[in-house]
Amino acid sequence: MPDSKPGFDKEGLGNVLLVAISLCLVCSIIVSTAAVVLKPQQKLNQELDQKQNILRAAGMLAEGSNVDAQGRGIDELFSQFSVRAVDLRTGRFTEEVDPADYDPIRAAKDPALSVELSDTEDIATIGRRENVSLVYLRQSAGGVDKVVIPVRGYGLWGTLYGYLAIEGDLSTVAGLGFYSQKETPGLGGEVDNPAWKSQWPGVALFDQSGEPAVRLVKSRSPVGSMAAGHEVDALSGATLTTRGVQNLVQFWTGDLGFGLFLENLKTTT
Ligand SMILES: Cc1cc2nc3c(=O)[nH]c(=O)nc-3n(C[C@H](O)[C@H](O)[C@H](O)COP(=O)(O)O)c2cc1C
């Protein structure tokens, strides 16, 4: 004998719809609450990740480790840096934006905050360049001893995003690392290979006339020659990624990137 009340059809359309709608409501409330509650933590994690990327590019954190040789963690190491906003049009520091709350990549999408690059200017294939970007400066007793700049440019499958760390002489690479790229693992994806990345420290960024001069080459110039000082091995089987990396380094160290800023900093340190 059925135990349901007479007239109440548990499997009726109205009942099924009521249960389905209630379930959807409960689930959407749970998902939205989780999104709101977890947002600050997500932001903190993203910030920590960026700090880690900057420290790795600067050679202050080894691959796969979250502490340095003295056991200092990411926040402690990153506290050695000051973050400043730079107007790329003038190469000067600016107070126009709050570095703690500014995203140069987002700014590059806003026509009011960026400039469209012509085909000849746009060697990194980024389309638009933000007017204001960020730099990470580490000071020592003798002045600035590391400058880290955000860089990006197109490879074969997409834009590579990373940081280029420069020594206190403002013309020698301290390291290069990408935190986002879509190149093929084993080919262009070798930009993340520690062995390939280990060639970057010591590379000279500029030629004698101050122009960006880093080159990724299939065969190296003779050891000790002027040209050899600007060279890094090309990625084998990945000519397009290789060209993309060379172009993005040249773009961001050139006059449309941080070139003016580095020039200005040389005269003030
Ligand atoms: C499946 C597949 C993935 C590839 N991925 C890349 C890549 O990530 N970067 C790149 O420059 N070339 C990549 N290539 C190769 C390019 O299409 C092109 O052939 C190559 O850049 C030529 O370089 P090479 O002169 O060094 O051989 C890929 C090719 C194939 C078939």
Side-chain angles (χ1 to χ4, degrees):
M1 185 145 178
D3 57 358
S4 55
K5 289 182 220 155
F8 179 77
D9 179 7
K10 178 167 92 164
E11 284 164 19
L13 181 64
N15 209 29
V16 169
L17 279 176
L18 183 71
V19 170
I21 291 169
S22 310
L23 201 62
C24 286
L25 269 176
V26 170
C27 289
S28 58
I29 289 169
I30 292 173
V31 171
S32 337
T33 311
V36 171
V37 170
L38 294 177
K39 200 162 187 177
Q41 189 57 45
Q42 278 175 345
K43 194 164 184 278
L44 277 179
N45 286 346
Q46 279 166 2
E47 282 169 10
L48 196 68
D49 195 44
Q50 287 308 315
K51 288 177 186 174
Q52 193 171 300
N53 294 324
I54 290 162
L55 292 168
R56 286 201 204 290
M60 292 165 65
L61 209 52
E63 295 293 332
S65 172
N66 286 338
V67 288
D68 75 350
Q70 282 94 55
R72 291 175 296 186
I74 294 169
D75 279 322
E76 188 182 350
L77 287 168
F78 192 77
S79 67
Q80 297 174 22
F81 283 92
S82 56
V83 189
R84 301 285 305 272
V86 170
D87 190 325
L88 298 176
R89 295 163 296 189
T90 59
R92 304 269 174 209
F93 290 120
T94 175
E95 308 299 323
E96 205 180 299
V97 302
D98 175 6
D101 199 24
Y102 178 72
D103 180 352
I105 295 165
R106 189 180 301 164
K109 293 181 182 136
D110 183 341
L113 304 175
S114 61
V115 62
E116 186 172 357
L117 300 168
S118 69
D119 286 351
T120 46
E121 290 171 331
D122 195 11
I123 57 171
T125 323
I126 56 172
R128 306 189 69 85
R129 192 225 53 204
E130 58 278 20
N131 295 333
V132 174
S133 190
L134 300 177
V135 290
Y136 304 83
L137 303 170
R138 193 176 80 166
Q139 308 273 347
S140 70
V144 171
D145 81 350
K146 287 258 190 316
V147 178
V148 183
I149 59 173
V151 295
R152 66 181 187 280
Y154 211 79
L156 172 63
W157 303 116
T159 303
L160 296 97
Y161 296 88
Y163 290 102
L164 175 69
I166 303 167
E167 297 292 0
D169 64 1
L170 306 176
S171 54
T172 306
V173 176
L176 174 70
F178 295 103
Y179 59 85
S180 172
Q181 52 87 6
K182 298 189 175 78
E183 305 309 287
T184 313
L187 295 171
E190 289 295 288
V191 288
D192 290 336
N193 185 329
W196 183 77
K197 290 202 291 184
S198 71
Q199 301 170 73
W200 283 89
V203 167
L205 285 171
F206 305 106
D207 64 16
Q208 278 173 313
S209 52
E211 295 301 317
V214 168
R215 291 187 62 236
L216 273 65
V217 294
K218 285 188 176 167
S219 59
R220 295 281 197 121
S221 300
V223 178
S225 65
M226 187 79 85
H230 301 294
E231 291 174 355
V232 168
D233 289 345
L235 297 155
S236 53
T239 300
L240 298 168
T241 309
T242 297
R243 195 176 303 151
V245 172
Q246 174 175 303
N247 286 343
L248 74 88
V249 171
Q250 294 208 357
F251 177 85
W252 289 105
T253 54
D255 286 349
L256 288 162
F258 290 88
L260 295 177
F261 166 73
L262 293 171
E263 269 305 305
N264 290 338
L265 201 60
K266 265 182 207 159
T267 57
T268 54
T269 52

